[in-house]
Amino acid sequence: MNVGKLVKEVERVVCGKAKVASLAKVGGVLPLGREVLEEVRRLAR
Amino acid sequence: MLEPGRHFTLGNVACAEGALRAGCRFFAGYPITPASEISHHIAAEIPKVGGYYLQMEDEMASIASVIGASWSGAKAMTATSGPGYSLMQENIGYAHMTETPLVLVNVQRSGPSTGQATQPSQQDIMQARYGSHGDYEVIAVSPWSVQEMFDLTVRAFNLAESYRTPVMLMADGMVGHMKEKLTVPENVDVVDRRKPTSKEDTPWGTDDPSGVPPMPAFGEGYALLVTGSTHRPDGVRNFAPEYHQMIVYRTRDKILNAEPKIRDIHKEHLDDARVAVLSFGASARPSYDAVVKAREKGVKAGLFRKRSGRWLTVWTPYWSSR
């Protein structure tokens, strides 16, 4: 529930060893489970 | 206070209950959505356990009075949301410099500025780490449920007293306004403040390996000078570089060295995960749901959620061990 404030920190720590994607959402609403699931499946491909 | 047992209640009420059971005996605050229910509940309940509630004129006065209460020997807390948290930043720095234990609850809402006053967010996580000026380390806890609003409030008090430092409870409006089951235990483990044992003990210097000096209170016979300026171990203001280095490094190192004890990570299915979902607070709930569903569909997914720790080292300990 922010614009992805931590994604740069994750990228720094991962050092290119893994793909990093941000699923950011603002507006006072949670990301939906299916939105997270779609992202997980996309990254797993 | 709620009786031990099961209840159906609000996250903010659970936070207030956790505070009272952790020994909080002073609360000062200024109303702000979505944190106000914490004030409401504590205002009603804290007098029953011999504590004090103060409705202050603003957030700056709120945290200032919490700092004063802590130096008077009370476990103390305030609660706010983003705009109020911004106002508190100068005194958060003062609390770090004076090594004042307190708990600051931020039930985050959408910003910048007034933003969506009634809507939840997690937009203050950088402010929690970097909001005040100078070099300091932050301990924070991050609840994802009503139960954790209770449990992690207790833990926040224990961490504050153990390490003599402000501790942030970084909730969000979703968890604060959520109603679900809360189990109030018969007893909770409570850490009490370590007091000096002799007049030779100094309030801002110690040979203890923890780096945490004992903390006297006003009225206990110690000549206390509590200043945000650089000071000697006895509290007297002195701007010499060696004193500044001494206090900045010791207050940093006491948190860094304690990281393994402070850190509490919730991991689900990470051992064989090809995709790790890193999330916290309310957002971790749909994330966990997605991980379970992904596994049902044959995708090896896992969840990483930090419940407590040195703030913003959210990822390093896990990934550096891989």
Side-chain angles (χ1 to χ4, degrees):
Chain A
M1 286 191 287
N2 57 49
V3 294
K5 286 175 182 289
L6 285 178
V7 69
K8 293 292 182 192
E9 171 68 1
V10 177
E11 287 172 351
R12 181 184 71 78
V13 172
V14 168
C15 297
K17 293 177 188 168
K19 281 190 285 187
V20 177
S22 171
L23 181 60
K25 199 163 181 179
V26 293
V29 289
L30 282 172
L32 300 174
R34 62 176 166 77
E35 293 173 324
V36 182
L37 179 60
E38 284 168 17
E39 191 67 11
V40 167
R41 296 179 80 179
R42 187 184 71 78
L43 289 167
R45 281 198 287 270
Chain B
M1 293 201 297
L2 296 177
E3 294 293 323
R6 290 193 297 177
H7 302 271
F8 184 66
T9 193
L10 202 65
N12 283 342
V13 170
C15 173
E17 287 284 328
L20 295 171
R21 278 177 175 72
C24 177
R25 293 297 177 265
F26 182 85
F27 181 98
Y30 185 79
I32 186 167
T33 304
S36 295
E37 296 83 3
I38 297 172
S39 297
H40 296 168
H41 195 73
I42 287 193
E45 299 299 323
I46 204 168
K48 299 174 186 172
V49 292
Y52 298 89
Y53 170 89
L54 275 184
Q55 154 90 53
M56 298 304 290
E57 65 268 36
D58 57 36
E59 288 85 350
M60 290 176 282
S62 299
I63 190 166
S65 63
V66 164
I67 291 168
S70 187
W71 277 101
S72 299
K75 291 186 179 180
M77 181 172 99
T78 186
T80 188
S81 189
Y85 196 54
S86 300
L87 289 170
M88 291 182 179
Q89 289 301 327
E90 182 183 3
N91 273 324
I92 290 173
Y94 179 80
H96 278 285
M97 190 60 160
T98 55
E99 298 178 71
T100 305
L102 59 89
V103 173
L104 201 171
V105 181
N106 181 352
V107 188
Q108 296 168 85
R109 74 188 208 188
S110 294
S113 190
T114 307
Q116 298 167 284
T118 60
Q119 298 299 317
S121 86
Q122 297 170 334
Q123 293 174 297
D124 299 340
I125 58 170
M126 288 296 186
Q127 188 176 206
R129 174 63 187 88
Y130 300 111
S132 198
H133 58 283
D135 290 314
Y136 62 98
E137 290 291 338
V138 176
I139 300 175
V141 299
S142 172
W144 81 336
S145 64
V146 169
Q147 186 66 49
E148 283 194 356
M149 284 291 275
F150 179 95
D151 296 341
L152 293 185
T153 302
V154 174
R155 180 159 168 76
F157 272 98
N158 288 346
L159 289 167
E161 297 297 334
S162 296
Y163 300 103
R164 221 184 112 177
T165 190
V167 172
M168 310 295 154
L169 192 146
M170 299 301 291
D172 53 62
M174 192 73 73
V175 173
H177 280 171
M178 181 186 294
K179 264 192 166 181
E180 60 184 9
K181 187 178 84 174
L182 167 69
T183 301
V184 176
E186 290 283 345
N187 297 296
V188 296
D189 291 331
V190 172
V191 174
D192 286 321
R193 192 166 301 177
R194 192 162 69 87
K195 296 281 189 178
T197 53
S198 92
K199 296 291 181 188
E200 305 302 313
D201 288 336
T202 52
W204 291 276
T206 181
D207 295 327
D208 191 276
S210 69
V212 183
M215 181 176 172
F218 286 113
E220 291 180 343
Y222 291 84
L224 271 176
L225 175 63
V226 184
T227 175
S229 295
T230 295
H231 45 275
R232 304 185 320 207
D234 61 3
V236 174
R237 195 170 77 155
N238 190 312
F239 290 167
E242 56 267 33
Y243 285 123
H244 194 74
Q245 288 179 16
M246 187 188 305
I247 196 161
V248 167
Y249 277 103
R250 183 179 55 72
T251 54
R252 183 195 69 155
D253 290 347
K254 72 179 180 182
I255 308 296
L256 294 184
N257 294 337
E259 165 90 29
K261 294 180 189 168
I262 297 169
R263 190 170 61 225
D264 177 15
I265 299 170
H266 174 194
K267 300 179 200 173
E268 295 284 350
H269 308 299
L270 280 176
D271 287 344
D272 65 345
R274 288 192 60 236
V275 179
V277 181
L278 297 88
S279 189
F280 59 93
S283 298
R285 296 169 68 114
S287 298
Y288 179 55
D289 183 51
V291 164
V292 171
K293 286 191 167 62
R295 290 230 155 221
E296 288 170 359
K297 294 175 186 296
V299 178
K300 290 181 176 175
L303 177 74
F304 179 107
R305 178 176 74 92
K306 194 161 185 174
R307 268 190 290 252
S308 72
R310 188 163 63 88
W311 195 235
L312 273 187
T313 57
V314 179
W315 329 113
T316 310
Y318 176 70
W319 287 104
S320 60
S321 66
R322 296 281 277 187

